Amino acid sequence: MTRYVKEMGGALLAYMLVLAGSIRVLQALPELAMAAKAAIALLPMLPGIAMCWAIVRNLRRMDELQRRIQLEAFSVSFAGTGLITFSYGFLEGVGFPKLSLFIVWPLMCTLWVVSGFFCGRRYR
């Protein structure tokens, strides 16, 4: 098992546990002050930061070709996410249902994986 898998897997497990815990606390204690609710709701972002750190550490361990492939994949993912979300924003203006911002991160990650596959094939 690679170091990246351990780091990302640990951060992802922590994220799921903290997320489940924060949801339970917020549901069990609806009378909490708004500041406390906000702090508890944001707790899952701490392991989220660890996930981002695992990605950065993994990029730093890559050779130049792997970094180039990832840069191209990130670029496609960034631009694609912008185009898709912007386009859907226009569609919301003509009556399409509003989407949560929670869709942006999974969309960006999906585009990153897919574009990484295609960008990597170019160098084989």
Side-chain angles (χ1 to χ4, degrees):
M1 186 180 303
T2 66
R3 188 181 306 176
Y4 173 68
V5 171
K6 290 177 186 176
E7 290 173 354
M8 181 59 90
L12 199 53
L13 179 63
Y15 174 80
M16 291 185 297
L17 293 172
V18 173
L19 177 63
S22 67
I23 290 170
R24 284 190 184 146
V25 169
L26 290 170
Q27 289 174 343
L29 303 171
E31 70 282 350
L32 285 174
M34 188 57 72
K37 286 182 183 180
I40 293 167
L42 290 173
L43 280 176
M45 294 314 301
L46 294 175
I49 292 168
M51 286 189 285
C52 291
W53 183 244
I55 292 169
V56 169
R57 287 175 50 89
N58 189 49
L59 285 169
R60 289 179 179 164
R61 288 189 283 260
M62 291 178 179
D63 64 28
E64 292 83 11
L65 178 60
Q66 291 173 320
R67 284 184 189 173
R68 181 180 180 137
I69 292 167
Q70 290 304 311
L71 176 62
E72 289 178 19
F74 284 143
S75 300
V76 171
S77 173
F78 178 82
T81 300
L83 288 170
I84 291 168
T85 56
F86 219 67
S87 297
Y88 196 84
F90 288 123
L91 294 175
E92 286 179 352
V94 296
F96 277 60
K98 295 223 179 271
L99 290 180
S100 169
L101 288 175
F102 278 111
I103 196 150
V104 173
W105 184 252
L107 173 62
M108 188 174 281
C109 291
T110 301
L111 290 175
W112 175 31
V113 170
V114 171
S115 60
F117 172 77
F118 285 108
C119 292
R121 288 187 68 191
R122 213 172 92 181
Y123 295 99
R124 292 183 190 240

